[in-house]
Amino acid sequence: MKLRDPRQFEKPEIIIIPMIDIMFFLLVFFMISTMSMVDLKTVDVNMPKAKNVETNLSVTYLVTLKKDGSLWLEDKPITQDDLLRRAQVEQSKNSRFAVAIRADETVDYGTLMQLMDALKGAGISRFALAADKK
């Protein structure tokens, strides 16, 4: 029985093309999955439109003021007193606490100012007013 000469064995090769394909597939998968994780839990509201809107997701509370005057904290209804109490507790825990207010474009300016004044009276000093991009 004749054995092959060890010098005739081919050296192992790493085929890189399938590895690149797998890496691109994983990259796309993780990009798509993280985009779905960023979805904000909010109530549908017709916000005013502006050209120079900044996206900032570092706010702690996202408060929605609907045209009927109801308040929502993220996707749950809340009373103004409960919102103020919870915001005070959160402000005492986190010095960078911020509230973003999403108001319907038909909401009376006085109603919005009353909410902001109540939050300011509760010791909340960082606000943001949300708008949709044109």
Side-chain angles (χ1 to χ4, degrees), residues 17-33:
I17 301 295
M19 289 174 59
I20 292 173
D21 290 344
I22 290 171
M23 294 306 286
F24 279 127
F25 175 76
L26 288 173
L27 177 69
V28 170
F29 172 77
F30 286 120
M31 284 173 50
I32 291 173
S33 64

Side-chain angles (χ1 to χ4, degrees), residues 7-134:
R7 288 175 282 165
Q8 290 179 348
F9 286 120
E10 291 182 25
K11 289 186 179 179
E13 293 180 11
I14 297 177
I15 303 171
I16 199 150
I17 301 295
M19 289 174 59
I20 292 173
D21 290 344
I22 290 171
M23 294 306 286
F24 279 127
F25 175 76
L26 288 173
L27 177 69
V28 170
F29 172 77
F30 286 120
M31 284 173 50
I32 291 173
S33 64
T34 55
M35 285 191 308
S36 67
M37 295 168 130
V38 175
D39 189 26
L40 295 174
K41 295 179 182 175
T42 58
V43 178
D44 242 359
V45 69
N46 254 348
M47 290 191 299
K49 310 232 181 312
K51 285 183 183 178
N52 301 313
V53 174
E54 240 181 77
T55 302
N56 185 358
L57 299 176
S58 66
V59 295
T60 311
Y61 274 11
L62 193 58
V63 177
T64 304
L65 181 60
K66 294 182 81 171
K67 64 175 131 182
D68 63 356
S70 62
L71 281 174
W72 295 73
L73 180 60
E74 293 181 359
D75 60 345
K76 296 176 183 70
I78 192 168
T79 64
Q80 184 170 337
D81 294 333
D82 196 26
L83 173 68
L84 295 175
R85 185 181 46 76
R86 290 175 68 177
Q88 281 178 326
V89 169
E90 200 64 37
Q91 174 74 27
S92 66
K93 291 180 191 174
N94 181 2
S95 63
R96 298 195 43 85
F97 176 74
V99 175
I101 301 172
R102 301 174 68 240
D104 192 280
E105 63 185 350
T106 60
V107 167
D108 182 45
Y109 183 70
T111 307
L112 180 60
M113 285 307 297
Q114 179 188 9
L115 174 63
M116 291 177 64
D117 185 47
L119 286 167
K120 185 76 173 173
I124 312 305
S125 58
R126 295 174 53 125
F127 297 102
L129 295 176
D132 280 335
K133 196 164 195 147
K134 274 189 179 178

